[in-house]
Amino acid sequence: MLWNVRLPRVVLALLVGASLGCAGALMQGVFGNPLAEPGVIGISAGAAVGAVAAIGLGLSFLGNWTITACAFVAGLVTVSAVYLLSRNGGKTEVVTLILTGIAVNAFAGALIGLFVFFADSGQVNQITFWQLGSLAQATWPKVLAVLPCAVAGLLVAPFYARRLDLLSLGERPARHLGVDVERLRLALILVVALLTAAAVAVAGVITFVGLLVPHLLRMANGPGHRFLVPGSALAGAVVLVAGDLAARTLAQPAELPLGVLTALIGSPFFFWLLRRTRRKQGGWA
Amino acid sequence: MTRTTAATTRTTTRTTTLTRPPTPTRTPTGPLTRLFTRGRRTVPSRPAPGAALAEAVDLHVRLGQHEVLAGIRLTARAGEVLALVGPNGAGKSTLLGALAADLPATSGEVRVDGRPVGDWSAPDLALRRSVLPQSAALSFPFPVEDVVRMGRAPWAGTPFADADEEAVATAMAAAEVTAFAARPFSALSGGERARVALARVLAQRAPLLLLDEPTAALDLRHQELVLRICRERAAAGDAVVVVLHDLGLAAAYADRAAVLHGGRIAADGPPAEVFEDALLSRVYRQPVEVLPHPRTGAPLVVPVRTPDGAPNHAPNHAPNHTSAHTSDGPGIPDVTPI
């Protein structure tokens, strides 16, 4: 019981939390915008389309890794699209980013709806449960299915920390300081897609962890990415283990979906963040 | 006189800091480079005095449909402060951007340290030139000292990284930002941010400095400070290219001034020769007069002003006779305009 039910769940929570926290920190750095987050701007939803497609179409060409692989490809397409659509002159305005997120989320939602519509009832159950975001179905094979993606992303991410610091000066100044900005951007988009896919493939869409965690760390210890990137991974892991514990115990014997819980806590925080950003900028226009 | 002494002390301190661990070998002909295995970067040696560190050769740059630079030929030499002046939209910033490798040449060529800019990798270029952008932005609230330390990033992994702390401290002291080293960049005023950005550029210690309007946001004291720093860097053997709006500053501090007008260089030479009434009045479409400073003799550039503040429309070359009226009594013209 402990080995086969509890432990894979804890390991999965650690992996998913670390991936989401780290992906959030990286994305905020790449977009040069503290409001970027895989869930908010639609990367998670995009990855979810890939995963749902794999379930709905009954794909299994890569065995256990099929859902993760599909989530990765779809996530990669989405993050590239959002990046291209929301940037202008090397910067991403908050409004553009959020609006792009709305559009991407809506489109991804429509695609997921289509798959649900054409799926049989067994698949529908699987999809809806997974859509709420949960770790309840954790098993060792699931851990194995996302482990390579998550570990690869987490190991590579810290190497970009220094360059992310420089990128916060803007693209041109970063280039003046020797950063190959195009390559950095490409590499980080790949890493973000890897991490998001790892999280989404097993746990569904769990929002706001990637937003909340880097923010709190930045407030506590400054914005340096050499601390922020690994720190967000660690703190994300801790937050998600705690969140999963809460989801399991708060409404016992029933279990709250983890994604619902993080959204309940994360949305007000996001709202506060939006207000604060607007106040600082003196409006959006 | 004071200028020379400051420059000499500066030279000595720089040499000691820069030629520490592996003394870069020098050859009489041009800059010799030394290979460091890590990152395939070539660390430049100190440039020989007068060496061409940046050159634009028949440079054309087109932005959209508009040809912003049309046939620029310009050289920035080691040991020299070169001021780029000219009216808004003349192409000063575009020229600086092209020299910085931010903007591609439509035709012609830009060379940095003897090679076409496109041939340098970003890390290599960062060892050779530093760039101060027109406005300093930062996505996250890094403390000032961290921002300045970012200027040292190009040297990571080279023996010169040992000088990081000293370079950061020296640059912060020079730009007078040491007092707020620990404050977040986002909490600073515009002028303070501009000086922090300058300190970052100074900490980079590249032999070619490209500064886009470094004095725009600064008060009188710091405008002078920034240009004194430019002089010191030039005296220490660097090439400084600086975009300026204040012709007085350019006249006082630049070895050479290039006047841009409509994407071309209208004049290029020592300020005392280049800044003359007719040329400046034509280029700026504003009558100006150039007077020698009563004490130092340095050229002062003053717009011709009428006492009641009415605009004086004489776009083409009225200044010669206008100045004949006004130059007798400073500020009190003997003819009342209608």
Side-chain angles (χ1 to χ4, degrees):
Chain A
M1 163 74 181
L2 187 73
W3 174 254
N4 278 324
V5 179
R6 285 279 184 268
L7 204 59
R9 187 160 178 168
V10 170
V11 173
L12 212 56
L14 287 170
L15 276 178
V16 170
S19 300
L20 288 174
C22 189
L26 294 179
M27 284 190 66
Q28 291 166 19
V30 180
F31 280 86
N33 188 323
L35 291 173
E37 197 258 357
V40 172
I41 67 172
I43 313 303
S44 296
V49 171
V52 170
I55 300 172
L57 300 173
L59 299 180
S60 60
F61 55 94
L62 281 174
N64 195 16
W65 281 297
T66 313
I67 295 182
T68 317
C70 290
F72 170 68
V73 172
L76 193 62
V77 171
T78 319
V79 71
S80 312
V82 170
Y83 193 82
L84 291 175
L85 290 173
S86 66
R87 288 181 70 82
N88 189 5
K91 277 191 77 179
T92 315
E93 291 160 44
V94 178
V95 193
T96 322
L97 187 70
I98 305 291
L99 291 182
T100 310
I102 292 179
V104 170
N105 272 321
F107 187 64
L111 288 181
I112 292 175
L114 267 182
F115 281 115
V116 172
F117 181 72
F118 287 113
D120 60 46
S121 59
Q123 288 169 334
V124 168
N125 272 344
Q126 204 186 340
I127 291 172
T128 34
F129 178 78
W130 172 93
Q131 250 186 306
L132 291 172
S134 168
L135 295 167
Q137 291 184 323
T139 55
W140 286 118
K142 286 210 167 165
V143 171
L144 277 182
V146 295
L147 193 71
C149 254
V151 168
L154 290 172
L155 285 181
V156 169
F159 288 103
Y160 295 101
R162 198 181 166 112
R163 275 168 277 180
L164 277 174
D165 281 356
L166 299 179
L167 198 60
S168 68
L169 291 166
E171 267 180 38
R172 277 186 183 175
R175 203 174 290 126
H176 298 151
L177 290 168
V179 178
D180 189 336
V181 176
E182 282 72 28
R183 244 177 49 196
L184 174 69
R185 199 189 292 160
L186 216 72
L188 286 174
I189 282 181
L190 262 169
V191 173
V192 165
L194 269 178
L195 291 170
T196 311
V200 168
V202 280
V205 179
I206 294 177
T207 45
F208 296 113
V209 174
L211 186 76
L212 208 125
V213 168
H215 260 280
L216 295 178
L217 289 181
R218 216 178 271 123
M219 282 178 198
N221 198 51
H225 287 91
R226 264 165 288 184
F227 161 79
L228 194 66
V229 170
S232 296
L234 273 178
V238 172
V239 163
L240 215 67
V241 170
D244 190 43
L245 186 73
R248 235 177 33 230
T249 50
L250 280 182
Q252 258 180 342
E255 184 180 323
L256 288 172
L258 182 56
V260 172
L261 194 69
T262 60
L264 268 178
I265 299 168
S267 308
F269 178 76
F270 183 62
F271 189 64
W272 169 76
L273 214 58
L274 270 177
R275 302 274 304 175
R276 201 184 63 152
T277 312
R278 188 177 69 168
R279 204 168 49 238
K280 262 202 224 154
Q281 295 185 344
W284 294 125
Chain B
M1 208 57 228
T2 40
R3 192 187 279 177
T4 336
T5 18
T8 332
T9 42
R10 175 82 185 174
T11 321
T12 40
T13 50
R14 256 185 84 83
T15 325
T16 44
T17 53
L18 272 178
T19 49
R20 232 193 287 158
T23 317
T25 36
R26 263 171 203 266
T27 51
T29 52
L32 185 92
T33 48
R34 194 189 151 94
L35 266 169
F36 288 95
T37 43
R38 189 178 140 151
R40 324 183 310 274
R41 274 170 302 176
T42 335
V43 174
S45 61
R46 293 298 301 154
L53 294 187
E55 292 165 274
V57 183
D58 195 26
L59 173 68
H60 292 251
V61 172
R62 188 183 291 276
L63 298 176
Q65 288 303 304
H66 185 53
E67 182 152 63
V68 186
L69 296 179
I72 299 281
R73 190 172 287 275
L74 190 73
T75 308
R77 298 187 180 281
E80 186 184 69
V81 175
L82 167 61
L84 302 180
V85 301
N88 294 336
K92 306 180 294 292
S93 294
T94 308
L95 177 54
L96 205 78
L99 292 175
D102 289 339
L103 300 168
T106 315
S107 70
E109 193 173 58
V110 172
R111 282 198 285 268
V112 167
D113 206 0
R115 271 169 64 178
V117 273
D119 290 3
W120 292 113
S121 70
D124 262 324
L125 213 46
L127 302 178
R128 284 165 179 80
R129 61 100 179 85
S130 52
V131 185
L132 180 75
Q134 219 173 70
S135 62
L138 197 65
S139 312
F140 301 105
F142 282 95
V144 166
E145 194 177 348
D146 289 9
V147 176
V148 178
R149 188 165 287 115
M150 288 178 190
R152 296 300 299 167
W155 300 98
T158 74
F160 295 107
D162 294 351
D164 280 3
E165 291 311 307
E166 185 265 336
V168 170
T170 311
M172 292 212 301
E176 297 191 345
V177 298
T178 316
F180 36 88
R183 274 166 61 190
F185 184 82
S186 45
L188 303 180
S189 77
E192 289 167 336
R193 288 180 188 200
R195 273 149 55 206
V196 171
L198 177 73
R200 170 176 68 76
V201 167
L202 293 176
Q204 195 174 343
R205 288 192 170 165
L208 169 65
L209 286 92
L210 305 172
L211 313 175
D212 199 351
E213 295 193 28
T215 56
L218 300 185
D219 60 33
L220 197 60
R221 172 196 167 79
H222 290 107
Q223 292 189 7
E224 296 294 318
L225 175 81
V226 166
L227 281 142
R228 274 200 310 273
I229 293 173
C230 292
R231 282 243 55 89
E232 287 169 12
R233 293 296 301 247
D238 295 339
V240 182
V241 182
V242 52
V243 173
L244 286 175
H245 269 302
D246 186 329
L247 297 171
L249 283 175
Y253 288 101
D255 296 300
R256 206 148 58 80
V259 183
L260 272 87
H261 181 47
R264 293 167 204 279
I265 291 183
D268 176 7
E273 293 171 21
V274 171
F275 290 176
E276 48 109 10
D277 303 355
L279 174 84
L280 294 180
S281 301
R282 176 173 62 85
V283 164
Y284 283 94
R285 296 190 298 131
Q286 159 69 42
V288 296
E289 47 192 330
V290 183
L291 319 162
H293 188 280
R295 194 164 42 77
T296 63
L300 295 176
V301 182
V302 191
V304 176
R305 289 169 184 138
T306 51
D308 59 354
N312 191 335
H313 285 296
N316 282 326
H317 70 90
N320 277 339
H321 71 261
T322 322
S323 62
H325 290 304
T326 45
S327 56
D328 311 330
I332 313 155
D334 49 356
V335 196
T336 324
I338 313 124

